[in-house]
Amino acid sequence: MYDEETVLCGASAYTKKYYLNDIFDGLPEGIKEELKIMCVLYTEEVGGTIQLVFDEDGTLEICADAEEEDILFDEIGSALKVKAMRREKGELFEALEMYYRIFNCSAD
């Protein structure tokens, strides 16, 4: 349906930065703030990086990763946190997928 993956947002424990893709500036401020809190809390709790990415089908995926030499990264905590995010934020993720599909927010 879409040519490639599109990053919605992400955060890094290494750079202490949060990123929201400019093509999603039209999202309501409350949603943007919720995404920021969710991503930053993840990196503060387990370390590493996190990205919310729309795949080729418009499905929102959570991509968590860590640098190979990061001995403080909590792999088990990461898996549990991602699972909890999917469960607790399921409605938000579904709404974001619908927004993405309707507004065809793929990067050009």
Side-chain angles (χ1 to χ4, degrees):
M1 181 177 209
Y2 303 100
D3 292 338
E4 56 189 51
E5 294 181 337
T6 302
V7 174
L8 168 60
C9 60
S12 171
Y14 308 118
T15 62
K16 303 288 186 202
K17 292 187 179 181
Y18 170 77
Y19 167 78
L20 176 68
N21 192 329
D22 292 342
I23 64 174
F24 296 102
D25 279 343
L27 286 171
E29 288 302 316
I31 300 294
K32 291 193 277 189
E33 190 64 27
E34 190 170 352
L35 290 169
K36 182 177 183 178
I37 291 168
M38 181 175 51
C39 289
V40 171
L41 277 177
Y42 170 90
T43 59
E44 288 298 315
E45 290 179 17
V46 298
T49 62
I50 187 169
Q51 287 186 327
L52 277 67
V53 178
F54 290 102
D55 69 12
E56 298 86 12
D57 296 323
T59 302
L60 189 60
E61 301 289 334
I62 301 171
C63 303
D65 199 14
E67 293 178 357
E68 202 170 305
E69 62 275 355
D70 185 354
I71 61 170
L72 298 177
F73 180 71
D74 182 1
E75 287 186 47
I76 295 170
S78 173
L80 292 172
K81 185 77 173 163
V82 167
K83 188 174 183 177
M85 286 168 54
R86 285 191 176 120
R87 183 180 62 250
E88 295 166 7
K89 304 293 184 182
E91 287 183 32
L92 172 63
F93 293 166
E94 287 177 21
L96 287 166
E97 289 172 351
M98 186 177 297
Y99 176 90
Y100 182 76
R101 289 178 180 131
I102 289 172
F103 293 102
N104 193 16
C105 293
S106 59
D108 294 323

